[in-house]
Amino acid sequence: MLVENPVTITHQELHMLGLKAKGQIKHLYLHRTAGYYGQAYSDYHINIDKDGEVYLTCHELYQPKSHTFLRNKDGIGIALCCGVGASFTGKNSQSIDFGECPPTMMQIEKMAQVIAILADALELPIEFSAVATHAEVAIVDGYGPLSSDEQKRWDLWYLPGTPRNFDHRMGGVTLRRKAQWYKDLFDRRIAA
């Protein structure tokens, strides 16, 4: 459901919410809303707009949301506000059309920062077992981009500006690498 006037949140506020949810959250699931820029949806705990603004659509991060089929109980849904008109029409990454509102570089960087902040607060590793795109878990669960399922999900399977092949830097790998870089940067700043 579309959220009117979503609440913006700072990195510090997000970290505090993460600390409050520690022990209750085990996964971060990464999405695109399939909407327009500027549209935040209540299905996700966190929405990230085209300019990197972060919106919170819950009171607590452990509040249940309906973002990832069969995986919502102990997971946070983080979505990029984009993707209207996007399509995947083939059997490989070259068949992706990111639509009229593709993920922006600012959104991708901000999502990586949000992952780093939450992974730190929740004490989660930045690896597939704890941080995954909807496409990655849909592949595991049998309704991913190459399945014949009518409800297939390919959210963030690939990102604009990154190589699109089966072996190298799928969206989740890119986001986890960027998030780890930000977490290491944050850790160095704290230690200094």
Side-chain angles (χ1 to χ4, degrees):
M1 175 178 285
L2 193 60
V3 176
E4 298 291 328
N5 304 310
V7 176
T8 59
I9 187 168
T10 66
H11 286 186
Q12 293 79 14
E13 292 167 330
L14 183 60
H15 194 266
M16 292 303 295
L17 282 171
L19 289 172
K20 288 174 62 178
K22 185 174 151 184
Q24 298 178 66
I25 299 298
K26 305 289 185 224
H27 302 95
L28 306 178
Y29 295 113
L30 314 175
H31 303 265
R32 62 173 172 81
T33 62
Y36 290 96
Y37 300 137
Q39 292 181 328
Y41 288 85
S42 63
D43 304 53
Y44 313 100
H45 297 85
I46 298 164
N47 289 248
I48 303 170
D49 210 351
K50 72 177 180 176
D51 59 359
E53 192 155 16
V54 179
Y55 303 120
L56 183 70
T57 60
C58 60
H59 297 292
E60 302 294 342
L61 293 175
Y62 47 79
Q63 177 182 338
K65 297 278 189 171
S66 59
H67 49 86
T68 313
F69 182 64
L70 297 178
R71 292 176 178 262
N72 298 317
K73 183 178 179 188
D74 61 357
I76 294 173
I78 305 166
L80 302 180
C81 301
C82 65
V84 68
S87 63
F88 173 69
T89 57
K91 293 285 185 192
N92 63 48
S93 63
Q94 301 305 319
S95 305
I96 294 174
D97 176 352
F98 290 106
E100 61 185 273
C101 297
T104 67
M105 294 315 290
M106 182 63 82
Q107 284 178 307
I108 293 165
E109 293 302 318
K110 187 59 75 167
M111 180 175 266
Q113 292 170 17
V114 166
I115 293 165
I117 291 164
L118 290 174
D120 179 69
L122 298 164
E123 295 184 8
L124 296 177
I126 301 176
E127 55 190 42
F128 174 73
S129 62
V131 180
T133 66
H134 198 170
E136 290 175 311
V137 295
I139 289 168
V140 170
D141 293 344
Y143 67 100
L146 301 178
S147 75
S148 59
D149 194 305
E150 289 183 23
Q151 299 296 315
K152 76 175 68 181
R153 293 291 182 262
W154 54 276
D155 297 32
L156 308 180
W157 188 30
Y158 286 89
L159 301 171
T162 58
R164 292 200 249 171
N165 61 50
F166 290 111
D167 301 322
H168 184 50
R169 298 182 65 85
M170 293 191 305
V173 172
T174 299
L175 287 163
R176 285 187 293 274
R177 286 181 181 170
K178 285 179 174 289
Q180 188 62 58
W181 184 87
Y182 280 112
K183 185 173 182 313
D184 293 345
L185 177 66
F186 299 155
D187 290 345
R188 283 193 303 273
R189 285 185 178 168
I190 290 169

